[in-house]
Amino acid sequence: MPELVLETNGRTWTLDPSRPYTLGRDPQGDIVFDDARVSWRHATVSFNGHTWVIEDHGSTNGTYVQGRRVQYTEIVPGSSLHLGNATDGPRVNLSATAVPVGGPAQDPQAQPQPQAHAAAPYAPQGPAAPDWAQQPMPQQAPAHQAPAHHQAVPQQGIPHQAPAHPQAPHAGWQQGGPAEQYAQKTPGGGAGAPPVYGDRSPTTFHQFALGRVMRIGRALENDLVVSDLQVSRHHAEFHATPDGRLEIRDLGSHNGTYVNGQPIAKGGSVQLGPADIVGVGHSTFRIVGDRLEEFVDTGEVSFSARHLTVTVDGGKQILKDVSFGVPEKSLIAVIGPSGSGKSTLLKALTGYRPANQGEVLYDNRNLYKQFAELRQRIGLVPQDDILHRELTVKKALKYAAKLRFPADTTAKERDARIDEVLRELKLDIHKDKKVTSLSGGQRKRVSVALELLTKPSLIFLDEPTSGLDPGMDRDVMQLLRGLADDGRTVLVVTHSVAELALCDKLLVMAPGGAVAYFGPPEEALNFFGYDSWADVFSAFENYRDYDWAGRWKGSQHYQMYAAEIDAIAPQAAPMPVPQALRPPKPQSWGSQLMTLVRRYVSVIASDKGFLALTVLLPAVIGAVSLLIQPDRGLLPNPVNPKTHLPVPNGTATTVLLILAVGACFAGAANSVRELIKERVIYERERATGLSRSAYLMSKVVVLGAVTMFQGLLVGVIGFTSREIPGKGLVLGGSTLVELCLPIMALGFTSMMVGLVISSLVKTAEKTMPLLVMFAIVQVVFTGCLFTLHGTPGVNEFSYLMPSRWAVAAAGTTLDFNNIAPNTDDPGSTDPLWDHAASAWGLDMVALLALGAVCGFFVSRFLRRHEPEVMRK
């Protein structure tokens, strides 16, 4: 049997045909490569009885023979291959000359690979046009094409044209399959087993016995203990039945149990097949024979986007065929001018707004199809702060941890994780400070800390340095660099170009949403042919119709850094039904409601100004109504028209008008900014499992209590000094309470209208004009200024106004049909003002029904601010 000599990076190994040899970054492997583009267990070289073969194990970045990605192929001495990149990935030379195993070999002929230069395009000529604008664009190379290794470095100023056609493979090599095929085998798995975490080796193994039950959870008494706060104390269990079948049963877990990325019913069970993958927290399990393989997501994950295209109404594309891939532990920056689709790209990458075409892969797992599970492993820091500034740092993180961790997590466990994150981000000295008192850079660190609570492997940040000075800009970027070095993949969208050198890769978006460059940041300016990014962005503006994507795909940088990703066609499997994508909630509905109520009360209690206005506003409104003299009104005497008869509470309509308008304004003012100012917080928390109805109900409970207290204060001040009937229609002797209840209910319903306004507007500045308009309309339709009953159209429209029903309810108690009869038709009375308990009840029910309708609309409008992949 022939021996094969493998040489790479100045070292040689003589391979024994009697055993296989693993290639990869695994220190326990046979041939170890220290290159991030090489997968943990990348490939295996073995002798199959007839010839030597190499088998790729579904590696993230591929194995290449002369630029062609191979899956399984025969090899002969005298051949060479590349790992991780078709051009500059680690090169492996194979020969038949025996050399001592492991001994160094000096090759005087070895030369470093030339650095590829960008192919030149054709662009409009102009005074600002760079050198590349004077040259014609080369013919675009096929996606699988890589430049030949013997090509010389092009001369300065002369573009290097990539070959128009791929070269034939070296003799002795056979293509084992198309580039887009994944491995049919994975480490430790049998044929047909799908890849888990790309090509990683299992973290550990567990043996099964027939009839055995293996319980998984955080508690120490479980058979398989998972030290992950995302996992419940008793999460799930595997059942091995006597007939050899296996099933996974959820034990009422809080964050859910997943099969192939889809949640199973709480307390339910699913029969498992040989290709099924079970997800529990950050761990994934796969059955191989009688063995359970466990893969733990420790943060080192690859990430790629393939052919992402986003089309809006009208057919306009705002994201065009975006493809790129990044290895684990990388920091990637995304820059580009306004209108280049950076925000759209971020939403597509995080699943907030899935692309119309293409796919996003989280370690070879489709994010869109498995969002319910993978959402727990992705952190997102929006441009605006995702925490309440009125709270202290630690208190804000405590409420976030309470919402995101399972309900069976103890306060001690949550506090320990919070302290760990604060120490990691050097925020422990600021933990007792209010968020609003921190600097911009420190606040951004707190937002990052909030996301790190659940140990995400992939973190996205949208403009984290916006508005920061250069010093804080550097601090934030160094923080992100540290997060990547600690074993996370970090992608940041930014306008700042001062600290791009800290990044591993740079993605430049061109106007129109296409990729203009992807690769090392230090090569980007040379690629564009400019000395500064200001010149590059000016070129984007001056040549908006230029084919920047075509220039990029015609360059050797594209062949080096993106061709292998672009060549792999996205999978055509249909999306699961939307119902299956709804993620479980970490906490029960009641637990979430109580946590949200306590947090909201803490926020309000910490705002001394709001508390003062809560008391001052109704007190002023009630006091103003006291200026109206409680005189006895006069009505014409039907017996003697020249005389008048005294009527008690003759100014009641005027007083009630003032109190009603004040209650409307106070109630709506309490809530009109609440949802818009927390929109970013809601969007992020909703993606992590927050219940929409629990969030809305927390606002209703807290703001409702505040508003009804204000209504009671307004009514007590406004009615106490008045002459009111001694006996009410409904509450008997509690006439004052019977008069205050409509004012309190009016404030509550107006508060609900304020929530509708807050859920509709896009900016907080638009709330004030709508608030004033609402208050003025309520004045007109109280029925106190002019007669509504008997006015066709106007009267029916007034039924939509809360003030109409509130004034009518109080009017029934005060007998408005007697105090302020219809002067145009004295015989015609308003049925809503009838002095009867039934009329009072109808008015109150209608008033509260308007509030319930408003609550329904608020809930529907909140859906617009949720990740699209989560919507029903």
Side-chain angles (χ1 to χ4, degrees):
M1 292 184 293
E3 292 182 337
L4 186 70
V5 177
L6 185 150
E7 184 273 331
T8 180
N9 197 26
R11 295 182 61 86
T12 60
W13 291 261
T14 299
L15 309 187
D16 185 351
S18 64
R19 60 175 289 246
Y21 292 82
T22 59
L23 285 65
R25 289 188 297 105
D26 185 356
Q28 304 302 319
D30 298 299
I31 303 171
V32 182
F33 295 83
D34 186 16
D35 191 301
R37 294 170 295 181
V38 178
S39 296
W40 192 253
R41 295 192 63 182
H42 196 101
T44 298
V45 176
S46 61
F47 187 76
N48 66 1
H50 301 283
T51 183
W52 286 93
V53 296
I54 185 168
E55 179 182 3
D56 185 279
H57 288 296
S59 62
T60 301
N61 295 315
T63 302
Y64 297 86
V65 178
Q66 292 193 356
R68 294 176 180 268
R69 185 167 183 168
V70 297
Q71 180 60 50
Y72 180 91
T73 187
E74 296 179 358
I75 56 178
V76 297
S79 305
S80 64
L81 55 92
H82 284 78
L83 304 180
N85 189 281
T87 304
D88 64 347
R91 182 170 180 170
V92 178
N93 296 316
L94 304 159
S95 65
T97 304
V99 186
V101 177
Q106 302 296 329
D107 185 2
Q109 302 299 323
Q111 299 292 335
Q113 294 299 313
Q115 182 178 0
H117 285 236
Y122 175 79
Q125 306 300 309
D131 293 338
W132 54 257
Q134 313 298 327
Q135 303 292 339
M137 177 179 286
Q139 181 175 349
Q140 180 176 332
H144 59 270
Q145 173 68 24
H149 301 311
H150 65 271
Q151 293 169 344
V153 179
Q155 298 180 6
Q156 183 67 28
I158 302 177
H160 178 70
Q161 181 165 332
H165 302 284
Q167 297 182 358
H170 190 279
W173 289 82
Q174 296 181 3
Q175 182 69 27
E180 60 269 18
Q181 289 181 344
Y182 288 106
Q184 296 302 313
K185 296 181 180 180
T186 53
V196 179
Y197 297 131
D199 56 353
R200 307 187 195 285
S201 299
T203 306
T204 186
F205 302 94
H206 309 277
Q207 293 296 326
F208 264 118
L210 293 180
R212 181 184 173 187
V213 175
M214 180 178 289
R215 178 168 291 184
I216 305 172
R218 202 174 69 250
L220 297 179
E221 61 265 23
N222 290 284
D223 302 297
L224 204 163
V225 179
V226 180
S227 57
D228 180 0
L229 290 183
Q230 294 285 75
V231 178
S232 299
R233 296 185 62 82
H234 299 94
H235 197 101
E237 58 187 18
F238 287 98
H239 286 253
T241 58
D243 59 1
R245 293 182 300 173
L246 197 72
E247 69 176 17
I248 180 69
R249 180 176 300 170
D250 183 83
L251 299 178
S253 63
H254 299 279
N255 277 321
T257 304
Y258 302 83
V259 176
N260 300 325
Q262 302 305 315
I264 65 177
K266 181 170 290 191
S269 62
V270 173
Q271 290 276 344
L272 298 177
D276 289 332
I277 298 172
V278 177
V280 174
H282 285 80
S283 297
T284 303
F285 302 89
R286 183 178 61 196
I287 307 299
V288 180
D290 62 347
R291 186 173 65 181
L292 178 67
E293 295 183 347
E294 179 183 1
F295 300 80
V296 179
D297 187 346
T298 58
E300 299 181 354
V301 299
S302 62
F303 182 73
S304 62
R306 295 176 180 170
H307 306 285
L308 297 183
T309 299
V310 174
T311 305
V312 296
D313 295 339
K316 180 182 178 182
Q317 288 186 342
I318 54 179
L319 209 62
K320 298 180 181 179
D321 196 27
V322 175
S323 296
F324 65 95
V326 294
E328 59 194 39
K329 297 173 63 174
S330 296
L331 174 59
I332 305 94
V334 180
I335 65 173
S338 299
S340 59
K342 299 189 300 298
S343 297
T344 302
L345 175 63
L346 186 64
K347 292 179 180 179
L349 295 177
T350 56
Y352 272 61
R353 200 290 188 192
N356 302 102
Q357 300 176 21
E359 62 185 3
V360 177
L361 298 184
Y362 175 101
D363 239 12
N364 283 347
R365 303 180 66 184
N366 191 300
L367 176 63
Y368 297 161
K369 298 174 185 175
Q370 303 186 28
F371 182 82
E373 177 185 357
L374 296 180
R375 68 182 176 88
Q376 302 176 15
R377 309 181 193 182
I378 296 177
L380 173 62
V381 181
Q383 182 174 350
D384 297 324
D385 294 331
I386 51 177
L387 34 82
H388 294 85
R389 296 189 177 189
E390 299 85 358
L391 302 178
T392 63
V393 171
K394 189 162 187 178
K395 184 173 287 189
L397 294 181
K398 278 186 175 181
Y399 285 120
K402 179 70 173 174
L403 288 172
R404 298 192 181 194
F405 289 141
D408 59 6
T409 308
T410 64
K412 184 177 180 180
E413 289 175 315
R414 292 194 297 268
D415 289 343
R417 178 57 187 156
I418 291 171
D419 292 337
E420 180 183 352
V421 171
L422 290 175
R423 287 193 301 269
E424 179 181 358
L425 298 182
K426 299 179 176 60
L427 287 170
D428 47 336
I429 61 175
H430 304 294
K431 63 181 180 180
D432 295 322
K433 296 180 181 179
K434 284 190 175 183
V435 176
T436 187
S437 67
L438 301 178
S439 66
Q442 291 169 342
R443 287 201 306 271
K444 193 59 63 177
R445 282 177 178 266
V446 178
S447 294
V448 174
L450 190 151
E451 291 301 311
L452 291 184
L453 289 175
T454 54
K455 297 184 178 180
S457 302
L458 185 60
I459 302 177
F460 294 90
L461 299 99
D462 186 12
E463 299 286 356
T465 61
S466 177
L468 302 184
D469 60 51
M472 290 184 179
D473 183 356
R474 176 184 300 173
D475 290 343
V476 172
M477 292 302 292
Q478 288 177 342
L479 166 67
L480 303 184
R481 177 71 264 172
L483 294 178
D485 294 339
D486 287 342
R488 305 175 182 93
T489 302
V490 183
L491 187 145
V492 53
V493 176
T494 180
H495 277 113
S496 175
V497 297
E499 304 297 332
L500 294 180
L502 293 173
C503 303
D504 298 298
K505 291 289 190 296
L506 176 64
L507 176 66
V508 182
M509 300 295 293
V515 177
Y517 173 83
F518 178 73
E522 61 269 15
E523 300 177 18
L525 287 177
N526 181 59
F527 171 83
F528 288 106
Y530 288 105
D531 296 327
S532 69
W533 284 107
D535 294 332
V536 175
F537 279 50
S538 294
F540 283 147
E541 181 64 29
N542 295 333
Y543 307 131
R544 296 190 69 88
D545 296 330
Y546 176 67
D547 186 11
W548 295 99
R551 177 176 186 270
W552 158 241
K553 292 187 176 182
S555 70
Q556 289 190 12
H557 279 77
Y558 171 79
Q559 300 295 330
M560 295 168 63
Y561 303 117
E564 64 270 21
I565 295 293
D566 219 3
I568 302 176
Q571 301 173 3
M575 287 282 289
V577 292
Q579 191 78 5
L581 290 176
R582 288 187 298 168
K585 298 176 177 59
Q587 305 275 331
S588 67
W589 188 90
S591 178
Q592 285 194 3
L593 175 61
M594 293 304 299
T595 301
L596 291 169
V597 167
R598 287 197 297 268
R599 182 178 70 178
Y600 196 24
V601 170
S602 297
V603 170
I604 291 177
S606 64
D607 189 346
K608 308 303 181 184
F610 179 82
L611 291 177
L613 286 176
T614 299
V615 178
L616 185 61
L617 180 61
V620 170
I621 294 173
V624 168
S625 69
L626 297 179
L627 298 177
I628 308 298
Q629 295 297 325
D631 57 350
R632 302 171 67 85
L634 298 176
L635 290 177
N637 188 344
V639 179
N640 185 4
K642 295 183 178 181
T643 62
H644 293 77
L645 297 177
V647 178
N649 294 319
T651 57
T653 55
T654 305
V655 172
L656 196 56
L657 172 65
I658 295 174
L659 299 181
V661 173
C664 284
F665 188 84
N670 286 339
S671 61
V672 76
R673 289 179 178 265
E674 286 304 307
L675 298 184
I676 182 63
K677 75 178 184 181
E678 290 187 1
R679 182 161 298 172
V680 176
I681 299 175
Y682 172 75
E683 289 177 355
R684 184 66 196 119
E685 290 183 341
R686 176 62 176 151
T688 62
L690 178 69
S691 167
R692 182 199 315 147
S693 58
Y695 175 78
L696 175 57
M697 187 57 64
S698 70
K699 298 295 182 185
V700 172
V701 170
V702 177
L703 289 176
V706 171
T707 302
M708 293 182 72
F709 165 76
Q710 291 177 321
L712 178 62
L713 192 58
V714 167
V716 168
I717 297 175
F719 291 126
T720 300
S721 61
R722 307 290 176 177
E723 181 182 348
I724 57 178
K727 188 176 182 180
L729 294 172
V730 178
L731 300 181
S734 302
T735 309
L736 178 62
V737 176
E738 187 174 308
L739 288 173
C740 289
L741 284 177
I743 302 299
M744 296 165 65
L746 175 59
F748 177 84
T749 303
S750 299
M751 180 271 296
M752 298 300 296
V753 174
L755 289 178
V756 173
I757 296 174
S758 191
S759 64
L760 279 174
V761 297
K762 294 183 178 180
T763 61
E765 290 74 15
K766 295 180 180 179
T767 59
M768 285 299 102
L770 294 176
L771 173 62
V772 173
M773 181 181 68
F774 168 73
I776 292 177
V777 171
Q778 298 311 303
V779 172
V780 174
F781 289 97
T782 56
C784 297
L785 294 181
F786 60 91
T787 303
L788 293 174
H789 177 65
T791 308
V794 176
N795 185 46
E796 287 72 20
F797 182 75
S798 71
Y799 294 160
L800 300 177
M801 303 299 155
S803 62
R804 173 75 160 109
W805 298 99
V807 170
T812 59
T813 301
L814 296 174
D815 194 9
F816 269 15
N817 279 328
N818 183 34
I819 294 175
N822 189 343
T823 56
D824 296 332
D825 184 4
S828 175
T829 59
D830 192 335
L832 300 184
W833 290 1
D834 286 346
H835 190 59
S838 58
W840 189 92
L842 173 65
D843 295 336
M844 291 295 294
V845 168
L847 181 58
L848 296 176
L850 285 177
V853 171
C854 289
F856 170 79
F857 281 110
V858 174
S859 178
R860 303 303 296 176
F861 293 149
L862 281 175
R863 288 184 67 252
R864 302 183 307 165
H865 310 298
E866 300 172 1
E868 287 192 18
V869 74
M870 290 178 59
R871 300 179 188 174
K872 295 182 182 179

